[in-house]
Amino acid sequence: MITRNLLLTISESKRLTGFISRNGLASRLARRFVAGETLLEAIEEIRKLNSGKTRATIDHLGENVEDRAGAQGAARVYLDILDAVRRERLDANVSIKLTQLGLDIDNEFCRDNLFRIAEGAKALGNFVRIDMESSAYTVRTLDIFRSAFERYGNVGVVIQSYLYRSERDVEWINGLRARVRLCKGAYREPREIAFPRKKDVDRNFLQLARLLLEGGIYPAFATHDERMIEGTLSIARELGRSPEEFEFQMLYGIRRDLQKGLVEDGYTVRVYAAYGRKWAPFFVRRLAERPANVLFLLKNLFREG
Ligand code: FDA
């Protein structure tokens, strides 16, 4: 049986994700989760989202970049995205993975690439969100986030409710007065550092949501789980938080009905719009989140065969 763990192992393999990215059917199915291959295509999709009163955060796909030129190139792409957001008057900020900016090469080099983007975003009055990758990167990501936040102010980070350490991290970031996006976590993690059971991940999500609504700065709740959304809303009501004080975030192409419903109810919704040609690891993580997506893919592979 194809398990979440197997899919997450596949998502970590360059050879297997390379194979997947050359498969026509996978490429067509990935389009459901990816806002296009080019920035122009992504801009069109974001325009549609904005016209439905939904905000966006733009991710240029790519992770674990191994050479300096590639990482510097990725930083330049983000500066271009920020320019395009301003020029096209889009309601969007950017989301970045530090391994795309050279975290596997050298911490300082990666930090400098992030600084360039944060500086560019600040000049344009925009905001940079640092995605959280696997636990191999948590400490370094938080360190680099802190230096960028202290220097520029317009930088936020992501906290994953599956990690045992996250409560301490939320308290620390609340103390910094920085912005957090809370999610469950999308990587394969050992039980020594992460809750193995979904029930505990969900319970911790709501516990962290409470801490963020009590003492955080404009927290973002990134989930498609209706129970997490309802739970978060009930905590917000209990604490007297108004809809302007937080936002929900969802992935492009997932639960559009829920996105629309929340907007209609007066809540802010931001869609994570990823675009680019290196979609395979991102796509396989989306498959791991919902086995039905894999069954659909397999059925069609057999049909094509
Ligand atoms: P859960 O997985 O319990 O799903 C609840 C329901 O949502 C499912 O029953 C299904 O209906 C729907 N659903 C969820 N995923 C789906 C999918 N792939 N296809 C179809 N339906 C699906 N993770 C991380 O480690 N670091 C990060 O920086 C981020 N960033 C991020 C940004 C945003 C905006 C979102 C929404 C998510 C992330 N994530 C992330 C991913 C996150 O950690 C998590 O893996 C997914 O959001 C899935 O968890 P849910 O909270 O949606 O609940």
Side-chain angles (χ1 to χ4, degrees):
M1 202 177 105
I2 295 182
T3 61
R4 176 174 181 272
N5 265 347
L6 174 62
L7 285 161
L8 291 177
T9 307
I10 293 172
S11 78
E12 290 162 9
S13 155
K14 281 219 157 152
R15 200 167 55 84
L16 293 173
T17 51
F19 171 76
I20 289 168
S21 65
R22 289 188 294 278
N23 179 278
L25 175 67
S27 155
R28 286 199 298 284
L29 188 60
R31 284 307 294 254
R32 185 186 146 187
F33 302 113
V34 172
E37 287 211 339
T38 64
L39 180 56
L40 272 183
E41 287 169 358
I43 287 172
E44 276 321 300
E45 290 307 306
I46 289 160
R47 226 193 281 288
K48 285 184 214 159
L49 289 167
N50 285 172
S51 69
K53 295 200 174 73
T54 303
R55 296 178 170 179
T57 183
I58 307 175
D59 167 42
H60 181 240
L61 290 163
E63 46 201 85
N64 297 104
V65 169
E66 282 164 356
D67 60 294
R68 286 176 184 257
Q72 284 164 331
R76 272 195 302 277
V77 169
Y78 272 101
L79 291 170
D80 290 345
I81 296 173
L82 287 161
D83 279 340
V85 166
R86 161 58 71 92
R87 194 180 56 242
E88 304 290 332
R89 298 169 192 277
L90 300 174
D91 187 345
N93 58 35
V94 291
S95 284
I96 296 177
K97 289 186 175 44
L98 291 187
T99 64
Q100 193 177 11
L101 300 182
L103 193 57
D104 287 328
I105 303 168
D106 175 71
N107 286 3
E108 274 185 25
F109 169 72
C110 172
R111 189 199 60 195
D112 290 347
N113 284 327
L114 176 68
F115 280 4
R116 281 171 57 212
I117 300 169
E119 190 172 320
K122 191 163 184 173
L124 295 166
N126 211 329
F127 175 81
V128 177
R129 176 79 64 181
I130 304 173
D131 286 342
M132 189 56 80
E133 300 177 70
S134 76
S135 60
Y137 301 106
T138 311
V139 172
R140 284 180 287 158
T141 300
L142 291 174
D143 279 351
I144 293 177
F145 147 71
R146 191 210 336 230
S147 48
F149 173 74
E150 283 174 348
R151 193 164 168 142
Y152 299 103
N154 61 334
V155 179
V157 74
V158 175
I159 292 292
Q160 299 152 322
S161 73
Y162 63 18
L163 293 185
Y164 301 141
R165 58 172 290 150
S166 290
E167 184 173 337
R168 264 183 296 124
D169 290 334
V170 165
E171 276 164 359
W172 165 69
I173 300 169
N174 280 356
L176 276 181
R177 315 299 292 147
R179 279 162 62 172
V180 167
R181 171 201 296 152
L182 178 64
C183 68
K184 292 189 187 179
Y187 297 84
R188 192 165 53 104
E189 300 295 357
R191 55 178 58 236
E192 289 73 33
I193 60 164
F195 294 106
R197 289 185 311 177
K198 180 173 162 49
K199 183 170 119 224
D200 296 318
V201 177
D202 290 356
R203 185 188 38 73
N204 199 35
F205 186 100
L206 291 177
Q207 200 162 315
L208 299 176
R210 177 176 287 280
L211 286 178
L212 288 165
L213 286 164
E214 272 168 358
I217 296 286
Y218 193 71
F221 301 103
T223 180
H224 317 91
D225 185 335
E226 291 181 57
R227 284 171 316 113
M228 295 303 106
I229 293 171
E230 277 158 23
T232 301
L233 284 176
S234 112
I235 298 168
R237 277 191 292 270
E238 180 196 322
L239 297 172
R241 294 278 168 259
S242 70
E244 294 75 43
E245 292 179 277
F246 59 93
E247 69 181 29
F248 288 107
Q249 298 190 351
M250 294 190 209
L251 297 174
Y252 175 86
I254 299 182
R255 295 298 312 261
R256 290 196 171 103
D257 56 327
L258 208 50
Q259 297 171 16
K260 194 160 167 272
L262 283 165
V263 170
E264 282 166 4
D265 288 346
Y267 295 103
T268 302
V269 176
R270 187 180 299 276
V271 162
Y272 186 106
Y275 83 94
R277 295 193 170 84
K278 296 190 175 149
W279 45 264
F282 177 85
F283 170 61
V284 180
R285 285 198 296 276
R286 303 295 74 82
L287 293 181
E289 282 156 4
R290 192 158 183 261
N293 291 340
V294 186
L295 291 179
F296 175 81
L297 179 68
L298 285 178
K299 264 192 230 150
N300 284 278
L301 273 177
F302 279 120
R303 258 184 231 145
E304 276 196 354

